[in-house]
């Protein structure tokens, strides 16, 4: 599948994706909710954060990267460059990856305007075809718009063309809920079934960052009543 994970700067998108990558590669429990039965092969392609930042974040999470977790950092990878995409497909043919994380969308497009619907759709169509053809889950990290008044539908908060949300199979937004000092991971699109929402807590424990979550079932209110009222007033 092709997944989009979007949030504002500094909300914890990279930390969350690094945590998911690590547990997926190691096997075990993600948030003590989801079980990774068989350790998978994972690739992180990061064009936003330098290696030192990755190292610091891995240390905060207490991560000792396993042999099945690979990272390509600041190499100039472009999703809209045919040569890079051909090399990526060749890599998947020779070294199958179960999960590939691209961080982030804006830093990986050089030849197109992210507001150009037809060009964006062209790139994402190819990404989705690759995901299906090579039996790989591809997750693209993206940004939300800066404070943008009068947005009614959450899906419109994604920066750039609406093709981003249209082409993705699953779209998650991550945002801070200051009133309850947590993060909300909210599914705003799921082509495969029921949406799943999580309340995430980034907690310090013996100097390490621990991610804890409580699952919010379909129909459960995601936001606190106070925050919901604040949005109505705004």
């Amino acid at each position: 599948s092709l997944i989009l994970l979007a949030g504002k700067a500094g909300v914890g998108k990279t930390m969350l994706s690094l945590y998911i990558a690590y547990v997926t590669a190691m096997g075990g429990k993600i948030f003590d909710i989801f079980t990774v039965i068989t350790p998978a092969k994972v690739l992180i392609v990061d064009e936003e954060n330098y290696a030192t930042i990755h190292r610091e974040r891995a240390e905060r999470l207490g991560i000792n990267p396993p042999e099945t977790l690979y990272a390509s950092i600041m190499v100039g990878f472009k999703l809209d460059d045919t040569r890079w995409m051909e090399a990526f497909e060749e890599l998947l043919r020779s070294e199958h990856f179960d999960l590939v994380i691209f961080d982030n969308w804006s830093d990986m497009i050089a030849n197109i305007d992210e507001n150009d619907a037809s060009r964006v759709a062209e790139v994402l169509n190819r990404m989705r075809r690759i995901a299906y053809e090579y039996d790989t889950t591809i997750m693209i990290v993206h940004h939300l718009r800066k404070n943008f008044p009068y947005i009614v539908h959450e899906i419109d908060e994604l920066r750039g063309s609406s093709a981003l949300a249209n082409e993705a199979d699953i779209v998650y937004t991550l945002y801070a809920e200051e009133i309850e000092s947590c993060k909300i991971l909210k599914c705003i699109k799921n082509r495969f079934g029921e949406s799943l929402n999580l309340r995430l807590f980034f907690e310090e424990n013996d100097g390490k960052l621990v991610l804890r979550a409580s699952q919010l079932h379909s129909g459960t209110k995601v936001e606190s009543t106070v925050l919901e009222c604040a949005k109505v007033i705004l």
Side-chain angles (χ1 to χ4, degrees):
S1 60
L2 178 62
I3 300 172
L4 201 62
L5 170 63
K8 292 186 178 179
V11 76
K13 301 183 297 296
T14 299
M15 191 71 82
L16 175 61
S17 61
L18 182 60
Y19 167 78
I20 291 171
Y22 172 70
V23 181
T24 302
M26 282 291 293
K29 287 273 194 179
I30 297 179
F31 306 128
D32 289 327
I33 296 175
F34 311 105
T35 302
V36 179
I37 298 171
T38 305
K41 199 170 179 181
V42 180
L43 172 65
I44 297 172
V45 182
D46 194 329
E47 289 296 320
E48 182 179 49
N49 304 290
Y50 288 100
T52 50
I53 295 175
H54 265 275
R55 192 176 302 116
E56 289 168 3
R57 288 175 175 170
E59 288 173 356
R60 280 203 71 200
L61 287 167
I63 287 175
N64 184 19
E67 292 182 357
T68 54
L69 178 58
Y70 298 79
S72 171
I73 299 173
M74 303 297 282
V75 297
F77 188 96
K78 299 299 176 188
L79 292 168
D80 58 351
D81 187 311
T82 301
R83 294 169 299 175
W84 276 110
M85 292 309 296
E86 287 174 352
F88 176 53
E89 287 199 58
E90 180 58 38
L91 177 66
L92 291 180
R93 276 191 288 269
S94 60
E95 302 281 343
H96 174 72
F97 285 95
D98 300 287
L99 171 64
V100 180
I101 297 173
F102 290 105
D103 191 357
N104 67 65
W105 165 259
S106 300
D107 289 315
M108 293 190 191
I109 53 171
N111 305 308
I112 65 172
D113 180 344
E114 67 177 13
N115 294 295
D116 186 332
S118 60
R119 297 294 304 280
V120 168
E122 183 182 328
V123 172
L124 293 176
N125 262 320
R126 182 171 187 172
M127 298 295 293
R128 190 144 56 97
R129 177 190 62 77
I130 290 172
Y132 295 169
E133 185 173 332
Y134 295 97
D135 192 24
T136 298
T137 294
I138 296 176
M139 184 168 79
I140 299 176
V141 178
H142 186 41
H143 292 292
L144 293 177
R145 299 177 190 272
K146 293 182 179 177
N147 294 332
F148 200 80
Y150 313 122
I151 288 181
V152 177
H153 302 292
E154 290 173 313
I155 209 155
D156 295 328
E157 288 193 279
L158 300 178
R159 203 174 78 186
S161 167
S162 59
L164 280 157
N166 294 339
E167 296 299 328
D169 295 309
I170 302 171
V171 180
Y172 274 101
T173 57
L174 179 67
Y175 59 92
E177 220 268 36
E178 295 180 4
I179 294 166
E180 297 190 22
S181 300
C182 66
K183 317 281 185 182
I184 300 294
L185 184 64
K186 188 172 185 179
C187 184
I188 58 175
K189 175 186 177 181
N190 189 344
R191 207 170 249 145
F192 303 121
E194 189 175 304
S195 297
L196 177 70
N197 304 311
L198 297 171
R199 197 181 302 278
L200 304 181
F201 298 88
F202 288 56
E203 300 173 340
E204 293 286 342
N205 186 7
D206 292 331
K208 302 297 182 184
L209 187 66
V210 178
L211 272 68
R212 183 172 62 82
S214 58
Q215 185 173 341
L216 304 172
H217 296 280
S218 179
T220 303
K221 285 176 59 178
V222 173
E223 295 172 337
S224 69
T225 304
V226 176
L227 188 63
E228 198 174 66
C229 290
K231 285 192 172 183
V232 171
I233 292 167
L234 285 170

